[in-house]
Amino acid sequence: PIEVSLSPIEFEDTVLIASSIRDITQRKEAEKALLTALETERELGELKSRFVSMASHEFRTPLATILATADALGAYRHKMTDTQIDHRVNKIRNQVNHLRDIMDDVLQLARMQANKSEFNPIRIDFDEFCRDILDEFQSQPSITHQLVYTCSDNPLYTSADTKLLRKIIDNLVSNAIKYSPDKTHVYVDVVHQ
């Protein structure tokens, strides 16, 4: 791409035309880069809007459950057995934990977008690490699933950021439990490749 400019110059009885030709390749490339960045920014803005909308919905559901359960406890506590009260208190606890997990996800995403997410790998036995997490899940009274765990290698040493890795495994197992029928087996297989 070029830019051409023409200027008339009167000299005695004739008119001369002075011209200049300038290569504007760099300017066009800069414009293209700016348009691409603008489009990317628009897409990120839409993605953030959808995320905020989804997170708002995710917050509303547990909050409604907590409120309804607390109202029922307040109104009918004197008619409930200890088991019924414990059941409702556990329901509130589970929903509060769910809200905490959502908030942790939002904060983690914000840290990643701000490039403030830290990566601190250490050497761990991945098999033992997974077993500990699954034991924590299995010890929760609200979990009615039987977690069945296998690992191809024992021990299985690797370097990993345990904080980030725990989040990943927690999310995978939580989703497996969430989307499996109650009182069924959830299989967790670790394969070293």
Side-chain angles (χ1 to χ4, degrees), residues 20-192:
S20 69
I21 299 172
R22 190 177 326 161
D23 182 356
I24 58 169
T25 304
Q26 286 182 334
R27 182 174 22 162
K28 289 295 184 183
E29 287 173 356
E31 285 175 9
K32 186 177 177 182
L34 280 172
L35 288 173
T36 301
L38 180 63
E39 184 60 30
T40 302
E41 193 63 33
R42 262 194 214 118
E43 288 173 5
L44 281 174
E46 289 174 23
L47 197 62
K48 284 180 183 178
S49 293
R50 285 199 307 262
F51 178 78
V52 167
S53 174
M54 184 186 71
S56 297
H57 174 73
E58 287 290 321
F59 276 116
R60 267 188 234 118
T61 304
L63 286 173
T65 303
I66 291 168
L67 183 60
T69 306
D71 287 347
L73 273 172
Y76 303 107
R77 183 181 187 98
H78 61 281
K79 294 180 182 179
M80 293 180 187
T81 65
D82 285 345
T83 304
Q84 291 171 322
I85 291 169
D86 289 344
H87 174 73
R88 282 170 176 76
V89 169
N90 282 335
K91 194 173 191 179
I92 290 172
R93 271 195 199 102
N94 289 338
Q95 293 303 314
V96 168
N97 287 335
H98 181 58
L99 283 172
R100 185 199 62 222
D101 291 344
I102 293 169
M103 192 50 130
D104 287 346
D105 289 345
V106 170
L107 292 172
Q108 180 67 26
L109 181 65
R111 281 192 295 269
M112 288 169 65
Q113 285 181 333
N115 289 329
K116 292 185 178 176
S117 186
E118 293 181 12
F119 180 66
N120 299 312
I122 59 169
R123 188 150 172 81
I124 61 166
D125 178 353
F126 187 67
D127 174 54
E128 182 181 336
F129 184 76
C130 289
R131 287 177 192 278
D132 289 345
I133 293 172
L134 294 176
D135 285 346
E136 290 170 19
F137 271 100
Q138 203 67 78
S139 67
Q140 295 176 27
S142 61
I143 305 293
T144 62
H145 300 78
Q146 179 65 40
L147 302 178
V148 180
Y149 173 77
T150 59
C151 182
S152 64
D153 295 344
N154 184 347
L156 178 57
Y157 290 105
T158 188
S159 289
D161 184 316
T162 56
K163 200 174 191 182
L164 296 174
L165 191 58
R166 175 176 286 278
K167 192 79 176 144
I168 293 167
I169 295 169
D170 278 349
N171 283 341
L172 287 170
V173 175
S174 293
N175 284 338
I177 290 169
K178 182 178 178 181
Y179 295 108
S180 297
D182 284 343
K183 299 180 182 174
T184 58
H185 289 78
V186 171
Y187 295 91
V188 179
D189 299 318
V190 175
V191 179
H192 178 222

